[in-house]
């Protein structure tokens, strides 16, 4: 049976890796819809190549431009726009699987809608889960969504979990059972980013170009900066907390510069299970697309002799305070992680615009957490979006005060 797939964020790094894997299995997968922000050039190319039933652009101007270009090429793809367009291509009965690969808070509404519609949700958009936590997990569980982690670390952890936990469905179903299965700790590996060995002084002068140049992974600009500040690992800590229902005290962040071990799970008998592979997102994408089966992904086989050496070290929370702030926010709970995420998005955009320095990102997040009124009520999408909007205003004020 052909599986109909909607890809949210098709023009991005995860979107393009997903299409690469899908293209290797035309007998299994069909592209139902591709969504993008405003990049009409790339979206038009993708539509001509994949002829999805629908294409969605963020705004109506981009949609009108795409419509014009597709008509000129006699492409039958229908073009929609905005949130309604996203909801339509996520909720449609014909769609079985939704790849959530929009970057940042912009992905929350359609990703949560996919969970509510009981879809198979391939989650790359970690910010959506960081923002909505319990609401997202509850929504997925109540609607029998199959939630599969694309993020390489969480995908590795999922693969290292016992079959007895995962065979019935996805990570959402394994919650509360981990302790009974002898699982003791999760070891979340991190490359350490491009500035792992830099001093605090050196970090002051980091340019956007240096920050987006990751040593091991080829990713979008925002997540590349997050990897450089270790914010990405902090967001992943929060992601693991929700996906695997694991106490934060039982999740260790381990710096592993080779990015060959994608994470580990330790058991009560002393066993440590790890998932290894070349750092290429097509592996976790192929795993989640086909799970519980396995399909070819196009990733080069790992040559362990070439790797030769695996190193591990502790993260340095002094030089990389973003990770410390993530620990703090998850401990505070409520809207704290929403504020943290929103402040980070605004700060990273300002850094990429060369309005603030690299070390200012953490300063701004800390200020936003201090200045925001943290509420324990995160029970509805409206409340979550309101906290997000407020935190963005506060962070922008902090940026102005810095100038
Ligand atoms: P990217 O910047 O390359 O792509 C982002 C996609 O989202 C694009 O298609 C863009 O058009 C779309 N988009 C951006 N803003 C939007 C908006 N306001 N409305 C609608 N669509 C919008 O990012 P990426 O690297 O592919 O990352 C996507 C997500 O996957 C992020 O949440 C990231 O943390 C996560 N992730 C990425 C990687 C990776 O290797 N790239 C690994 C793990 C997790
Ligand atoms: Mg990751």
């Amino acid at each position: 049976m052909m599986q109909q797939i909607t890809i949210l964020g098709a023009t991005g790094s995860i979107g393009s890796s997903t299409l690469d894997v899908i293209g290797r299995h035309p007998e299994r997968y069909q592209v139902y819809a591709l969504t993008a922000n405003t990049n009409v050039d790339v979206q038009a190319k993708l539509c001509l190549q994949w002829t999805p039933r629908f294409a969605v652009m963020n705004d109506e101007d981009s949609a009108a431009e795409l419509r014009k270009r597709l008509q000129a090429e006699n492409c039958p793809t229908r073009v929609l726009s905005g949130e309604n367009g996203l909801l339509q291509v996520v909720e449609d009965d014909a769609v079985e699987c939704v790849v959530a690969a929009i970057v940042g808070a912009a992905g929350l509404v359609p990703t949560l809608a996919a969970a509510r519609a009981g879809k198979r949700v391939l989650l790359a958009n970690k910010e959506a889960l960081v923002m909505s936590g319990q609401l997202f997990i509850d929504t997925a569980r109540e609607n029998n969504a199959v939630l599969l982690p694309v993020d390489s670390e969480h995908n590795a952890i999922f693969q290292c979990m016992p079959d007895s936990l995962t065979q019935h469905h996805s990570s959402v179903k394994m919650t509360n059972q981990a302790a009974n299965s002898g699982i003791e700790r999760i070891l979340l590996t991190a490359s350490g980013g491009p500035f792992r060995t830099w001093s605090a002084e050196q970090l002051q002068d980091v340019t956007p170009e240096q920050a987006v140049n990751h040593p091991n992974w080829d990713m979008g600009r925002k997540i590349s900066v997050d990897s450089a500040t270790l914010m990405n690992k902090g967001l992943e800590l929060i992601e693991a907390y929700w996906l695997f229902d694991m106490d934060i005290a039982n999740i260790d962040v381990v710096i592993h510069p080779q990015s060959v071990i994608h994470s580990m799970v330790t058991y009560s008998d002393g066993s440590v299970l790890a998932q290894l592979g070349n750092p290429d997102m097509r592996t976790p994408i192929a795993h989640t697309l086909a799970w519980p089966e396995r399909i070819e992904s196009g990733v080069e086989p790992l040559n362990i002799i070439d790797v030769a050496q695996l190193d591990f070290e502790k993260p340095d929370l002094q030089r990389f305070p973003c990770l410390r702030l993530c620990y703090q926010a998850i401990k505070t709970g409520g809207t704290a992680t929403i504020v943290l995420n929103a402040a980070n998005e605004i700060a990273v955009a300002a850094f990429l615009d060369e309005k603030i320095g690299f070390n200012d990102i953490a300063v701004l997040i800390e200020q936003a957490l201090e200045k925001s009124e943290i509420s324990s009520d995160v029970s509805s999408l409206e409340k979550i979006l309101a906290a997000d909007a407020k935190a963005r205003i506060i962070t922008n004020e902090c940026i102005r005060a810095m100038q």
Side-chain angles (χ1 to χ4, degrees), residues 126 151-154 217 219 223 232-233 236 239 281:
K126 65 194 89 186
D151 211 348
S152 57
E153 297 76 6
H154 307 75
W217 297 93
M219 311 179 287
I223 185 178
N232 183 50
K233 211 47 56 181
E236 290 184 355
E239 185 184 11
M281 288 307 292

Side-chain angles (χ1 to χ4, degrees), residues 24-87:
R24 295 166 192 275
H25 305 278
E27 73 298 343
R28 287 180 77 116
Y29 306 112
Q30 196 158 29
V31 179
Y32 181 81
L34 297 174
T35 90
N37 192 13
T38 52
N39 194 336
V40 176
D41 288 344
V42 174
Q43 180 75 319
K45 238 185 246 161
L46 293 180
C47 289
L48 293 174
Q49 184 182 352
W50 296 94
T51 50
R53 189 100 67 92
F54 292 100
V56 184
M57 299 304 291
N58 194 14
D59 61 276
E60 189 41 45
D61 284 352
S62 309
E65 175 63 25
L66 181 65
R67 234 171 255 131
K68 205 173 74 189
R69 293 210 206 163
L70 296 185
Q71 267 161 15
E73 303 278 350
N74 288 323
C75 176
T77 298
R78 283 191 53 200
V79 181
L80 310 172
S81 69
E83 194 169 293
N84 286 340
L86 288 176
L87 293 178

Side-chain angles (χ1 to χ4, degrees), residues 315-331:
D316 180 348
L317 302 190
Q318 305 270 278
R319 281 183 304 132
F320 299 102
C322 284
L323 183 55
R324 171 177 60 77
L325 293 168
C326 290
Y327 276 107
Q328 183 190 314
I330 190 90
K331 224 172 124 192

Side-chain angles (χ1 to χ4, degrees), residues 198-208 210 351 357-359:
W198 290 33
S199 69
E201 294 70 48
Q202 286 176 302
L203 287 175
Q204 259 160 13
D205 302 321
V206 162
T207 65
Q210 289 170 318
F351 168 71
F358 183 76
N359 289 336

